[in-house]
Amino acid sequence: TTLTTSSIGASVAITGGTVTGITDLVVADGGTGVSTFTDAGVLIGNAAGAIQATSAGTSGQVLTSNGAGVDPTFQAAAATGFTQGTEVAVTSGTSVSLSTTIPAGTDIIIISLESISTNQNGFTLGIQIGDSGGLEAVDYIGTSMSTFLAAGVPTCSAVAFTSSFLVTPSTTAVNTYSGQIILSLKDAANFTWAMHGGVGANVATDGVQVVGTGSGVKSLSAELTQLAIISSGTFDAGSVNISYF
C-alpha cells in the first residue's frame, strides 16, 4: 500500500508492517525538522527552522544566556564570594599601592593589615581611593580616633580627616598595627564609598595598648579602580592584602 500526503511531503510505503519513505516532519507541520539531537544537549527553538540542540556541557557548567537572538551555551558558573588579592609588603615609601585593577561592579573591599609600622613618631595611617584618573587626596569626610591605655587610664585623641580615610590620627614609631578596614559602595550613581575600620597595636612586642579607628565617606568622579595605604611616616615593616566582591 502506498499513501501520498501533502502534510508529510513524501510517498509512504507500508510493506509487511514496515513503514518506509518518511522524511523528517517540518516544524510548520508540527515536527522537529531533524532526525537526531546532540546527546545530552538542550533543545533550542529556531523560529520556523529545525529545532537545534546545544553541545553537551561539562561537569559544573551552567546553561547561560548570551543575549537576545543568540543561542545559549554551557559555560563555567560565575564566580561567587570574595576575590582575594595579592599580599603587598609595606616596607618603604609613604604611599604603597594595594591595587590598580579593582574590577567594575565591585561593592565591598576589605583591607587586612598586619604589623604595619613606620620610622616616624606621630605618624598617621590611612587609605586613599581613586578611579582611572588616579588616587584622590581631597574631599574625604570623617573622623579618626586613637585610644591609649596608660596606667589603667585611657586617653583619646581625635582628628577630622580630609585627605584620606584615617584609622590612626597619631601614634609612635615603635608601634606596629594590625587590623581591618572595610569600604562599601554607598551610592553607585555618585561613586560614593563609606569606610569604617580599626587597628590595634601589638601589645606583646610594643608594650602598649593602643587602638585606632576611623569612619567616613568619599565620592569619586568615576568608578573606583585603585587604592593605596598611606602614612605621614616612611613605612618600614608590615604587609597588607585586600579582598573584594
Side-chain angles (χ1 to χ4, degrees), residues 18-46:
T18 301
V19 180
T20 59
I22 298 179
T23 59
D24 300 323
L25 188 60
V26 297
V27 173
D29 292 327
T32 63
V34 292
S35 301
T36 62
F37 297 101
T38 303
D39 185 28
V42 175
L43 301 185
I44 307 171
N46 189 29

Side-chain angles (χ1 to χ4, degrees), residues 36-148:
T36 62
F37 297 101
T38 303
D39 185 28
V42 175
L43 301 185
I44 307 171
N46 189 29
I51 292 175
Q52 302 177 77
T54 68
S55 59
T58 59
S59 178
Q61 287 188 320
V62 295
L63 189 63
T64 304
S65 170
N66 292 307
V70 181
D71 291 344
T73 53
F74 279 101
Q75 300 176 23
T80 59
F82 283 85
T83 298
Q84 188 174 44
T86 301
E87 188 174 72
V88 177
V90 185
T91 55
S92 63
T94 59
S95 177
V96 177
S97 174
L98 304 182
S99 178
T100 58
T101 57
I102 302 297
T106 296
D107 293 321
I108 298 176
I109 302 171
I110 299 176
I111 305 163
S112 301
L113 307 88
E114 180 180 4
S115 302
I116 304 295
S117 72
T118 79
N119 65 353
Q120 176 181 305
N121 284 324
F123 75 87
T124 59
L125 186 65
I127 298 293
Q128 284 184 338
I129 61 176
D131 50 39
S132 59
L135 295 169
E136 297 191 9
V138 295
D139 298 329
Y140 294 80
I141 303 171
T143 300
S144 177
M145 175 179 289
S146 286
T147 303
F148 303 82

Side-chain angles (χ1 to χ4, degrees), residues 141-202:
I141 303 171
T143 300
S144 177
M145 175 179 289
S146 286
T147 303
F148 303 82
L149 185 62
V153 179
T155 60
C156 298
S157 63
V159 62
F161 54 71
T162 59
S163 59
S164 70
F165 287 129
L166 284 184
V167 288
T168 59
S170 180
T171 190
T172 62
V174 66
N175 295 343
T176 59
Y177 287 94
S178 301
Q180 190 175 79
I181 300 169
I182 299 176
L183 303 175
S184 61
L185 183 61
K186 177 257 176 187
D187 181 354
N190 294 299
F191 313 106
T192 303
W193 288 80
M195 164 270 187
H196 179 74
V199 293
N202 188 335

